[in-house]
Each structure stands twice: as structure tokens, then as C-alpha cells.
Amino acid sequence: MSVSMPVVRARWCDISRIADLVTEALSPTALGAWLVPDERRRPVVLAAVARIWTEHALLFGDAFLLPDGTAATVWFHRYRPIPPPAGYVDRLAVACGTHQNRFRMFDQALATRRPTEAHNHLALLVARGPATSHRAAAVLTGAQHWMDTLNLPTYAEVFNDADRDLFQRHGYTHRDAIPIHGHTTTHAMWRLSRSRTGQSRRNTRSPLQRPLVAPQNTPHGALIHPT
């Protein structure tokens, strides 16, 4: 599979598809098991939280999919403060039940170390299937092209060596190691936009072009990385 495969911009109707990808990718991992120790409930909880944050990203960022829906990225435009999702505390409680404290601890650990300068935040990168690494590279390549038109640095948190290698191949550098309450460590990655390195043309689009009003058919939704 070519890593130059184009991406499509996600729409409201794609939220469930992205949540399913997140659930499949995160459920079998040590992080997923820590967030939701109950293996039976884990997929339901992870999907519900993923829906919350993916929905929020479509209001305050962007999401992209491979055309066949097998990989996705979810981004937030952090050029200004972003409010939490509407009714977040209550929605998180409904989604997670007794596991909500672990998600809040995870959220807080990441939020306190996030860069304060303006940037685009890659909150999620997920892919499925036997060609997972190729799909992850393809969706990151395509989505990064869109983000570079905003002329801002991009930031991501990764949780394993394979992902860290992938991001480094796409121009990210290691910025910090973030311990998650003694359970695991995430690696903060930082990438300057091409304009900052003199490699791109002027900005061709602006995050201000995205409306900040939810569509009328807003479903119950949401994710894992906080605003």
C-alpha cells in the first residue's frame, strides 16, 4: 500500500467509524487495560469516550480518514484556548461509570505537560488490519499535509517505540517523556510546519473557517485526550 494515499476530511456521520477504530486499536493494549480493567466493558467504554472527543474535534479541529475508512487521525487546533466538551463531566460519568477517575487522571497528566504555544494537536492516530503500519503512515502523511497549510507546529503523544519511529520519520522530534501515574510513559513529539523551515508556500486555509456551532443532528459522542 502506498503511503501517499490521499485522505478525506471526516464528517459528522464518520464519528462512529472513528470511535470503532479507536476501540479496536486501544482495547488490547496495556493502556486500554489500565483505563478500563473490566475486559467485558472495555470496548463499550472506550468507544463512548472516543465519540465524545471525536465529536469535539469536529467542532474545534479536524479529523481525517483514509478513503476506505481503515485509518484515521483526530486533531485539535490549539491556536487559542478550547473549552471542554459540553457537559463533559456528566457525559464522562455516564460513559465510564466507575472507571471515570482513571480517564480524568490520564487527561490531567497529558494536559499539564502540553505546549502552551499555538499548535495543532494530533490527539489520535488509529489504523486497522494486517497492513496497520502502512495505513498509519498513509493517514499521517495525508493529514499532516493539511495541517501544514495552517503554518503551525504540530504536537502528538505516543505510547510505544513503533509509533515514535513512525512520527520521527514524518519529521517529529522527541520533546518530553510524560509519566502517567506510575503506570506508563508517553512521549511528547513536536514537528515544525514546513513554513517554519522555509519549505512551504503561504497559508492557504485558516482554522477560523470552521464554524463553532454544532450541527442540529448532534449525536451523543466523545474521546481520550483532553482539551
Side-chain angles (χ1 to χ4, degrees):
M1 180 179 294
S2 171
V3 296
S4 62
M5 177 182 287
V7 295
V8 294
R9 210 166 182 180
R11 300 175 297 169
W12 211 258
C13 61
D14 295 314
I15 291 174
S16 292
R17 175 178 290 184
I18 294 172
D20 288 344
L21 288 173
V22 174
T23 303
E24 291 178 27
L26 190 55
S27 287
T29 67
L31 176 60
W34 177 74
L35 288 169
V36 189
D38 184 340
E39 187 174 0
R40 181 182 59 83
R41 292 201 62 225
R42 189 179 305 151
V44 175
V45 172
L46 294 177
V49 178
R51 284 181 61 86
I52 293 168
W53 287 103
T54 303
E55 174 189 315
H56 201 52
L58 293 186
L59 300 176
F60 294 96
D62 272 303
F64 300 95
L65 290 153
L66 292 186
D68 63 1
T70 58
T73 59
V74 175
W75 302 77
F76 288 97
H77 298 314
R78 297 190 183 277
Y79 60 92
R80 63 180 181 182
I82 297 175
Y88 180 59
V89 173
D90 291 338
R91 293 173 69 184
L92 189 67
V94 171
C96 303
T98 59
H99 307 295
Q100 63 178 299
N101 286 340
R102 295 198 177 201
F103 281 89
R104 297 183 71 164
M105 285 167 33
F106 182 60
D107 287 353
Q108 186 63 26
L110 297 181
T112 56
R113 303 288 285 273
R114 189 167 296 131
T116 57
E117 57 263 56
H119 65 279
N120 290 307
H121 174 204
L122 176 52
L124 287 172
L125 189 159
V126 287
R128 80 155 51 112
T132 296
S133 61
H134 295 291
R135 291 183 173 119
V139 77
L140 180 58
T141 297
Q144 192 69 61
H145 174 76
W146 278 84
M147 289 300 107
D148 282 345
T149 68
L150 296 176
N151 294 344
L152 287 176
T154 50
Y155 171 77
E157 297 115 349
V158 302
F159 294 88
N160 58 60
D161 291 340
D163 285 347
R164 184 163 55 172
D165 290 344
L166 170 65
F167 278 81
Q168 287 175 334
R169 291 196 301 273
H170 283 75
Y172 285 77
T173 58
H174 187 264
R175 182 172 175 129
D176 196 10
I178 305 171
I180 309 296
H181 294 275
H183 169 71
T184 188
T185 298
T186 183
H187 297 279
M189 308 292 289
W190 184 255
R191 181 186 187 275
L192 293 177
S193 69
R194 289 187 176 183
S195 67
R196 301 282 177 107
T197 58
Q199 297 176 11
S200 73
R201 296 185 294 272
R202 66 181 179 84
N203 191 355
T204 58
R205 58 189 284 266
S206 167
L208 288 172
Q209 293 173 347
R210 175 172 291 278
L212 301 183
V213 178
Q216 293 302 310
N217 61 339
T218 303
H220 175 75
L223 175 161
I224 293 172
H225 293 291
T227 59

